[in-house]
């Protein structure tokens, strides 16, 4: 009887251990991929360019545009719908 209890506990330990190992492996792989992609997309420093003085720009001009209104078309007479009884 004690043998079956021992095997049940051992199976539970293996189950938990397998879950922890798989969980850790998945998250380590995800973090490795994120780290690899961040290194791959790392921007190289660009050589310094002489700063240009900003030119004085004139104030922006805004236009008011009105949409053309669609003319109402003449509606035909309503049709009578008869349902089968």
């Amino acid at each position: 009887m004690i043998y079956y209890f021992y095997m049940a506990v051992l199976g539970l330990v293996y189950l938990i251990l397998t879950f922890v190992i798989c969980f850790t492996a998945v998250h380590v792989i995800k973090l490795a991929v994120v780290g690899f992609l961040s290194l791959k997309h790392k921007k190289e420093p660009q050589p310094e360019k002489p700063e240009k003085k900003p030119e004085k720009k004139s104030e922006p001009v805004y236009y008011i545009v009105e949409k053309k209104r669609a003319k109402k078309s003449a509606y035909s007479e309503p049709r009578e719908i008869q349902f089968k009884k």
Side-chain angles (χ1 to χ4, degrees):
M1 186 77 167
I2 190 95
Y3 174 75
Y4 294 116
F5 178 74
Y6 174 74
M7 293 305 286
V9 171
L10 189 62
L12 187 61
V13 169
Y14 283 146
L15 178 70
I16 292 171
L17 187 64
T18 303
F19 174 76
V20 169
I21 290 172
C22 291
F23 184 83
T24 306
V26 166
H27 284 83
V28 166
I29 291 171
K30 281 185 177 183
L31 287 175
V33 168
V34 168
F36 179 72
L37 291 178
S38 70
L39 290 176
K40 186 176 180 181
H41 295 295
K42 186 176 182 182
K43 294 182 180 178
E44 295 182 18
Q46 298 178 351
E48 293 183 24
K49 297 180 182 176
E51 294 182 18
K52 295 181 181 178
K53 294 182 181 179
E55 298 175 6
K56 188 174 182 180
K57 296 181 181 178
S58 61
E59 300 223 0
V61 178
Y62 298 100
Y63 297 97
I64 298 174
V65 179
E66 293 183 14
K67 292 183 178 180
K68 293 183 180 178
R69 295 184 182 172
K71 296 180 182 177
K72 290 186 179 180
S73 61
Y75 295 107
S76 61
E77 290 295 321
R79 292 182 284 170
E80 185 176 334
I81 300 172
Q82 295 183 357
F83 295 99
K84 295 180 181 178
K85 290 186 179 181

